[in-house]
Amino acid sequence: MLRLLLRGAAGSARKNGGRGPVAHLQPLRQYSSSQSSGAAKVVAASLLTVGGGIGGTVLYAQWDHKFRATVEKNVPYSDSVFGLILGPAPQNAGPPVRTQLESTQPQSMLEKRAKTSKVQSEKKVKGTTETEAIEPTPTVSVPAASMEEASVEATQIISASGDVPSVPAPCDTEPTVVTEHCDECHPAGPEAVLHGADSPTEQLVERPAEEVSARLAQQDQDEQNVLAAVSSSLEESLACSARAALQAIGAQEAALQAINQHTQKLKEAMEAESPPEEKSVQWKDLEAALMDRTSAVTDATAALQKANEALDSLRTTIRNSKDLKVAAARPLVLAAEENLHKMAVDLDRVVAQVQSAEAESKIVSQYSDLVQEAKLQFQKEVSSLTPEIQANWKGLTGKLSSDDLNALIAHAHRRIDQLNRELAEQRVREQIHIDAALQQQKLEDQRVLENAVSSSLQHVKEEARLEQERKMNELREVMEAEMRTQLRRQAAAHTDHVRDVLKVQEQELRAEAEQVLSSKLLDQETRHRQLTQEQLDNFTLDMNAAYARLKGVEEAIDSHLVAEDEARRAHQLWLSVEALNHTLKTAGAEEPSVPLDSAAQIVRDSCREDDFASALAEALPAESLSRGVYGEASLRARFNSLRSLVRRVALIDESHNSLYQYFLSYLQAALLFEDQQVAPPTQLSSEDLDPFKLLSYASYCLEHGELELAAKLVNQLKGEARRVVEDWLTEARLTLETRQVVSLLSAYANAVGLGTTQAP
Amino acid sequence: MTSGKMADEYGRKWDRCLADTAVKTVTGLGVGVVFSVLFFKRRTWPVSFGSGLGLGMGYSNCQHDFRLPYLVHGRMVKDQ
């Protein structure tokens, strides 16, 4: 296993270009025989460790990708090794999942958006239907499906939100609702249907108030007309029937009177014992009375018939007017009905009276008939007995004989016996007759009772119905009043709402108009201002141009002046710089030059306004100002004297500075020979930094007048040599500095002078 | 001028050094002689010792004088 690992590691390493242990393996194998086994053991152990480490790393990298990434980052070429052994690193599974989530999320968002838009559209529809619901009732009750839906939704919303309390009440739910509104419905219904069909989802235009009021007025007018017609008809028929009824009643009463009279007379005629002359008068009266009675009765019947006819006509008119269903006529109708009923009742009463009177008279007449019959019978018998005697037996007192009287008495006795027998028989049959009579009377009574009951029942029924009608009317009126009040309230609420809406609209419109106005005004103003500003600008531009020209001319003149002034100053500067330059040349062989202070002061004075020149003037080193500078020749001489000393202490520095070193350095100086002057190379290398060489370079430079280069070369000296040369270096630096400043100043002065000179 | 000063100083150093060494050697010699005579029974070793001592002192002084520019006096700063 381990060997396999090792072999694998070795092979992979060989592929990549060899590793340390692999490279060493082979030669080690060669030497293993020569060397002892201990070394081989050690080598093997180390190889094992290394191989195990590598294998472990690879395995762990396969398992933990972060570790693999860390190793790949930190250890070079490990990524290729891993790639060979394990395959490419697996990609992150994160982003696709995230994108999936994101892709699903937008979908849901879209759905949500769709839903919200749908809800919004529904709400919009609902909003419109809500406004529609506030419409008068007929427009909502249009039976279009969408409208119904919308109205249902509207009702839901209204009920849910506790909004306008007016719930749309369609006509068809209450057919017996206020009739006038139903009347409105019917003509308005078809129109509303059309309206609804045209624009079911748009906001319905409320019918203009004038139209509605006109319609209402029209309907009122119609109603009034109908009412007038009905009332007139009712009144006519009422009057007619009243007249007829009164007539009938009068006739009936007259008939009643006649009947009573007749009966009375009959009774009198029957019972009264009066002389025959009065009897005939009575009988005549009776006959007259009978005639009267018959005529009265016929009159009464005729009148009754007429009255009945009139009542019938009244009833038909009442029914017709009822069919018209005009509410206002109802009380009239009711009153007419009541009158009709009263008249009918009166008529019936009178008729009943007449009938009772007639019954009575019938009895009396029956009685009279019976009496008359008995009389006739008696007379017949008497006449049969005494044929010669006249019927009028009351005047027979002188004419009759005793036989006749006896016969008459015997007849009378026989008659009395017969009558007694009849009486006894009659008494016996009395009960039966009474029963029969009672029965008849009972029947008669029952019939009468039945009639009376039926008539009274009818009357009561009629009265109850009338009462019911009256109550219904009242109730209807109350309901109507309440309905009116509710409608009035609704109308008031509607007007309030409309007023509010109008107010809001008015405000909005006003605000809009004001805004438009203000914006227009603003535009105008800005335009005006722009124009004025433009004019001003133009004028200003012209003025500025003229002014600028003037200024330009002035400036040209001034600049001329200034230029002249500057030229003068530049000249002065140049002169002073030349003086300074001259002072530099006063350096003697061994002494420094005169102090440059005075010349520098002059220079400073002459360039007070010039910053550059004054800065340069300041830049002169103080030593040169106070003491002056050495010339190049003196420096050269000094250097030459210094040279031997430097040679002598060439080996001495911080670490080598014992006397022995001194001795050695002396020895070196004595033994070493170098050229007096050697041209320095353009680039110094490390071997050129030898002091002796440097000295020869420096002297060469000095001989050729390059103080700067000489100073630079001398600057390369180190250690004691440097210390010895330090003073000379400082002096050389000073000189160089001063010379540089002076040259700069002179160059500047020259430039300025050149600049200020005007070409002719 | 200063280079002259340097050279002069250098020469002066040497003069001093040599003079000093000579003086010391001679002094040492003398002291050695004295000691040899007085305490060490006229052996030569104190003489040579003394002269050596003197020479060494002179040498050391001379070296110190030449080393003077390169000497750095440091101080130990104790941590508080």
Side-chain angles (χ1 to χ4, degrees):
Chain A
M1 177 72 170
L2 284 164
R3 271 194 211 142
L4 280 168
L5 258 172
L6 277 170
R7 276 203 204 119
S12 63
R14 221 179 289 136
K15 280 186 213 162
N16 288 331
R19 284 237 176 138
V22 180
H24 290 143
L25 261 174
Q26 283 181 335
L28 275 168
R29 280 210 193 113
Q30 283 178 2
Y31 295 134
S32 63
S33 56
S34 60
Q35 284 192 337
S36 62
S37 59
K41 270 188 198 163
V42 165
V43 163
S46 64
L47 277 173
L48 210 74
T49 329
V50 166
I54 290 169
T57 314
V58 164
L59 277 172
Y60 189 62
Q62 191 183 30
W63 185 66
D64 184 11
H65 298 292
K66 272 192 185 166
F67 173 72
R68 178 176 173 165
T70 323
V71 167
E72 278 180 4
K73 198 167 58 171
N74 292 328
V75 178
Y77 297 115
S78 58
D79 52 352
S80 53
V81 169
F82 281 136
L84 276 167
I85 298 171
L86 299 174
Q91 292 299 318
N92 246 348
V97 174
R98 265 190 241 120
T99 51
Q100 219 180 23
L101 278 172
E102 278 172 0
S103 64
T104 50
Q105 215 183 7
Q107 271 189 9
S108 63
M109 286 290 288
L110 279 169
E111 279 175 9
K112 269 193 198 167
R113 252 187 247 117
K115 271 188 195 162
T116 52
S117 66
K118 224 167 114 185
V119 166
Q120 276 177 5
S121 63
E122 272 186 12
K123 273 197 179 159
K124 247 203 279 181
V125 169
K126 279 180 189 171
T128 54
T129 54
E130 197 177 351
T131 54
E132 286 167 5
I134 298 167
E135 278 272 302
T137 53
T139 55
V140 178
S141 72
V142 172
S146 63
M147 289 296 290
E148 267 183 3
E149 251 184 20
S151 67
V152 162
E153 282 179 359
T155 52
Q156 279 179 357
I157 286 171
I158 287 165
S159 63
S161 63
D163 233 359
V164 178
S166 68
V167 178
C171 276
D172 46 357
T173 55
E174 272 192 32
T176 60
V177 92
V178 182
T179 51
E180 54 200 342
H181 282 257
C182 264
D183 279 338
E184 275 178 328
C185 268
H186 288 147
E191 279 196 27
V193 166
L194 282 170
H195 222 81
D198 285 338
S199 56
T201 53
E202 291 172 20
Q203 199 171 358
L204 280 181
V205 178
E206 208 177 297
R207 261 187 262 120
E210 302 93 27
E211 197 184 323
V212 166
S213 63
R215 202 186 292 272
L216 277 170
Q218 181 87 29
Q219 280 165 0
D220 283 338
Q221 197 68 32
D222 294 338
E223 216 177 273
Q224 290 286 349
N225 292 343
V226 164
L227 188 67
V230 158
S231 62
S232 63
S233 68
L234 274 174
E235 273 176 23
E236 262 183 48
S237 51
L238 252 177
C240 182
S241 57
R243 251 183 283 122
L246 279 170
Q247 251 184 3
I249 288 169
Q252 292 283 355
E253 281 190 351
L256 187 67
Q257 284 283 359
I259 289 166
N260 284 342
Q261 221 175 4
H262 172 72
T263 321
Q264 196 70 32
K265 282 230 168 79
L266 199 59
K267 264 196 209 157
E268 280 178 6
M270 284 295 103
E271 286 163 14
E273 293 289 332
S274 52
E277 308 87 30
E278 283 184 21
K279 228 5 159 207
S280 60
V281 168
Q282 261 187 343
W283 284 115
K284 278 197 190 122
D285 283 337
L286 203 64
E287 275 188 20
L290 183 64
M291 291 280 283
D292 280 336
R293 175 188 154 162
T294 45
S295 66
V297 164
T298 46
D299 283 341
T301 45
L304 183 67
Q305 194 139 15
K306 232 187 279 177
N308 277 338
E309 273 176 17
L311 284 174
D312 280 336
S313 73
L314 176 64
R315 223 173 262 132
T316 49
T317 47
I318 284 167
R319 213 179 300 124
N320 287 342
S321 58
K322 258 200 227 172
D323 285 339
L324 283 174
K325 292 196 181 179
V326 178
R330 214 169 272 283
L332 287 172
V333 164
L334 204 62
E337 272 185 358
E338 277 185 356
N339 283 340
L340 173 74
H341 174 63
K342 260 188 250 167
M343 284 191 281
V345 162
D346 286 340
L347 272 172
D348 285 342
R349 189 168 45 83
V350 162
V351 162
Q353 276 179 353
V354 163
Q355 274 180 352
S356 65
E358 270 193 350
E360 224 180 274
S361 75
K362 205 190 288 181
I363 290 168
V364 171
S365 68
Q366 270 184 355
Y367 172 64
S368 75
D369 284 340
L370 272 173
V371 166
Q372 199 76 12
E373 209 181 292
K375 257 198 202 152
L376 280 170
Q377 184 91 10
F378 184 62
Q379 255 195 333
K380 230 187 266 176
E381 286 177 5
V382 169
S383 65
S384 70
L385 280 173
T386 57
E388 61 270 4
I389 296 169
Q390 291 301 314
N392 201 0
W393 52 275
K394 283 202 181 153
L396 292 174
T397 48
K399 296 169 191 176
L400 286 169
S401 61
S402 61
D403 287 333
D404 289 326
L405 280 164
N406 287 339
L408 204 66
I409 290 163
H411 178 71
H413 278 297
R414 268 205 302 276
R415 188 80 179 141
I416 288 163
D417 284 337
Q418 193 204 354
L419 281 171
N420 282 339
R421 250 185 279 129
E422 255 185 29
L423 190 67
E425 210 179 298
Q426 204 64 24
R427 271 205 195 109
V428 168
R429 286 201 189 135
E430 189 184 329
Q431 195 66 34
I432 296 164
H433 285 163
I434 280 170
D435 284 339
L438 271 172
Q439 199 76 17
Q440 205 178 8
Q441 193 62 37
K442 223 184 260 177
L443 283 169
E444 194 74 29
D445 277 345
Q446 200 152 1
R447 196 175 52 80
V448 165
L449 183 73
E450 272 179 11
N451 279 350
V453 161
S454 69
S455 68
S456 66
L457 189 72
Q458 220 169 6
H459 290 156
V460 164
K461 262 193 204 163
E462 192 73 21
E463 267 181 31
R465 194 182 60 83
L466 284 172
E467 186 75 30
Q468 191 190 12
E469 288 263 318
R470 213 179 302 128
K471 283 229 165 64
M472 236 165 60
N473 256 10
E474 279 173 21
L475 199 68
R476 204 173 280 133
E477 273 174 21
V478 164
M479 284 292 150
E480 195 161 318
E482 207 175 300
M483 187 101 190
R484 246 182 247 275
T485 52
Q486 293 292 347
L487 281 170
R488 217 176 293 132
R489 230 180 267 165
Q490 192 177 357
H494 177 67
T495 49
D496 280 341
H497 172 74
V498 164
R499 203 180 299 137
D500 289 339
V501 164
L502 278 172
K503 216 180 284 177
V504 163
Q505 258 185 6
E506 186 194 328
Q507 275 175 358
E508 277 179 15
L509 283 170
R510 189 170 290 152
E512 218 179 280
E514 272 180 12
Q515 202 178 1
V516 165
L517 178 70
S518 65
S519 72
K520 286 257 164 67
L521 270 172
L522 205 70
D523 283 340
Q524 279 293 98
E525 232 182 86
T526 50
R527 219 175 296 147
H528 174 71
R529 234 180 256 146
Q530 254 179 359
L531 281 168
T532 50
Q533 196 65 36
E534 265 180 45
Q535 277 183 356
L536 264 170
D537 287 341
N538 285 341
F539 182 65
T540 321
L541 272 168
D542 290 338
M543 284 297 296
N544 281 348
Y547 189 67
R549 285 232 294 282
L550 179 67
K551 271 282 172 223
V553 166
E554 275 182 10
E555 263 186 45
I557 296 171
D558 285 338
S559 69
H560 269 271
L561 271 170
V562 161
E564 268 191 37
D565 198 28
E566 273 207 25
R568 192 175 46 75
R569 249 187 279 118
H571 196 63
Q572 225 176 352
L573 179 67
W574 185 82
L575 278 171
S576 56
V577 165
E578 280 298 307
L580 186 63
N581 218 357
H582 194 71
T583 54
L584 270 181
K585 293 196 177 100
T586 58
E590 290 298 320
E591 304 101 23
S593 65
V594 295
L596 303 171
D597 199 15
S598 52
Q601 187 59 40
I602 292 166
V603 168
R604 257 184 259 128
D605 288 337
S606 64
C607 66
R608 225 173 272 282
E609 297 86 18
D610 201 336
D611 290 333
F612 182 61
S614 51
L616 281 174
E618 300 297 320
L620 278 169
E623 192 70 27
S624 70
L625 291 173
S626 54
R627 197 203 53 181
V629 290
Y630 280 95
E632 206 174 306
S634 62
L635 283 171
R636 208 179 307 138
R638 266 169 68 183
F639 183 75
N640 288 328
S641 63
L642 266 177
R643 190 173 171 170
S644 55
L645 183 60
V646 169
R647 286 184 79 246
R648 257 183 277 153
V649 295
L651 277 178
I652 311 297
D653 58 18
E654 295 95 5
S655 50
H656 309 103
N657 54 12
S658 63
L659 277 174
Y660 179 61
Q661 293 287 340
Y662 270 96
F663 168 68
L664 284 175
S665 144
Y666 266 60
L667 196 64
Q668 188 189 40
L671 291 174
L672 204 76
F673 295 104
E674 83 278 5
D675 291 330
Q676 189 69 19
Q677 288 167 15
V678 176
T682 45
Q683 274 186 337
L684 281 174
S685 57
S686 56
E687 64 203 15
D688 290 327
L689 294 177
D690 177 43
F692 298 99
K693 275 209 187 131
L694 279 172
L695 282 170
S696 45
Y697 291 153
S699 68
Y700 177 85
C701 292
L702 273 176
E703 286 303 314
H704 286 85
E706 292 168 9
L707 183 60
E708 194 180 330
L709 191 55
K712 279 183 194 166
L713 287 161
V714 165
N715 200 23
Q716 300 304 318
L717 285 169
K718 289 196 170 54
E720 184 69 28
R722 177 54 179 276
R723 224 168 53 80
V724 161
V725 157
E726 196 71 48
D727 296 332
W728 184 88
L729 207 56
T730 323
E731 282 300 320
R733 276 210 197 103
L734 196 69
T735 310
L736 281 168
E737 238 182 270
T738 315
R739 270 209 279 174
Q740 187 184 44
V741 168
V742 168
S743 68
L744 270 174
L745 268 172
S746 72
Y748 178 69
N750 283 331
V752 165
L754 266 176
T756 51
T757 39
Q758 287 161 357
Chain B
M1 208 189 282
T2 44
S3 68
K5 263 193 198 155
M6 279 304 294
D8 288 345
E9 194 183 324
Y10 201 64
R12 265 201 297 261
K13 260 191 191 173
W14 271 117
D15 292 341
R16 252 204 328 269
C17 179
L18 285 168
D20 189 43
T21 311
V23 163
K24 281 198 168 63
T25 312
V26 167
T27 314
L29 192 80
V31 166
V33 163
V34 165
F35 268 78
S36 159
V37 163
L38 287 177
F39 300 117
F40 294 108
K41 297 177 201 148
R42 291 204 187 192
R43 301 258 181 93
T44 27
W45 68 266
V47 176
S48 46
F49 182 72
S51 64
L53 202 69
L55 191 72
M57 280 200 290
Y59 184 87
S60 180
N61 270 359
C62 198
Q63 195 169 264
H64 184 265
D65 199 13
F66 276 114
R67 268 192 186 162
L68 204 59
Y70 298 109
L71 275 180
V72 178
H73 291 105
R75 270 173 297 159
M76 183 102 119
V77 180
K78 280 196 201 151
D79 288 333
Q80 291 290 324

